[in-house]
Amino acid sequence: MSSLSLLEFCKLIGKLKHLKRTGWVLRDIIEPETVASHMYRMALLTFALKPEEGIDQVKCMKMSLVHDLAESIVGDITPHCGVTEDDKHEREKKAIHDIAELLPEVSREEIIKLFMEYESQSTLEAKLVKDFDKFDMIMQAYEYETSKCELGKLEEFFTSTRGKFTNEQVKEWVKALEDERNENIKKLNTQ
């Protein structure tokens, strides 16, 4: 790996530190989280997992850090962007290959493999990381609601994830979050 390749890689991943997540921008959230901060919390969630047979936590951490890496080139494409799911996948696949080309071969192969595994949802780890992705989204929605005293304003994010979690531990986290949110909404409505 050349020093120039390393610098180009750093510039690309650096973009994720400033790339605001589209879903929050579309909802007029002031100072929305970035793609990098989203991936960071997802990666740290692996530390909150109880050891589970058949789950490689380090792989989950790495996959969390890689799953949105292509967005440094293609941007944060949501269903509201007018891009088909197939086109989005092809753009991201090309981008991840372009990014991986900047790295040593062993890392290149690992990043592509992790990304493709996540996209295909073919393993327990990929499904767990998808649960982290959805959980982080609703956790972030709740944080925005509570910081602005607008509980219930971002209900669409909660609705879009209901019944879609697969991991039992993450389901417990979701229940705790929804219970707290519902209790706070109830208190607000009785004031």
Side-chain angles (χ1 to χ4, degrees), residues 124-168:
L124 288 173
E125 288 86 0
K127 290 177 173 134
L128 177 57
V129 172
K130 187 66 167 179
D131 277 0
F132 286 172
D133 191 26
K134 293 180 294 217
F135 178 75
D136 177 65
M137 180 182 71
I138 61 173
M139 185 72 214
Q140 189 64 56
Y142 180 60
E143 289 171 348
Y144 289 139
E145 287 181 338
T146 56
S147 71
K148 302 295 180 202
C149 297
E150 297 178 320
L151 287 167
K153 179 184 179 188
L154 298 171
E155 176 60 32
E156 68 188 278
F157 292 93
F158 291 87
T159 302
S160 73
T161 63
R162 284 202 183 97
K164 295 187 179 172
F165 293 92
T166 60
N167 181 276
E168 292 305 317

Side-chain angles (χ1 to χ4, degrees), residues 52-105:
E52 193 172 312
E53 191 159 329
I55 299 282
D56 181 341
Q57 288 175 273
V58 173
K59 184 178 183 181
C60 290
M61 183 179 293
K62 289 179 177 183
M63 193 178 290
S64 294
L65 293 170
V66 166
H67 87 287
D68 280 343
L69 188 58
E71 292 181 10
S72 64
I73 294 175
V74 302
D76 183 19
I77 301 170
T78 72
H80 303 287
C81 294
V83 176
T84 68
E85 194 64 33
D86 287 342
D87 189 29
K88 175 182 186 269
H89 178 72
E90 285 306 312
R91 289 181 194 186
E92 289 180 344
K93 186 176 170 185
K94 181 184 180 323
I96 203 71
H97 279 86
D98 291 347
I99 294 165
E101 282 299 315
L102 300 170
L103 298 170
E105 189 171 341

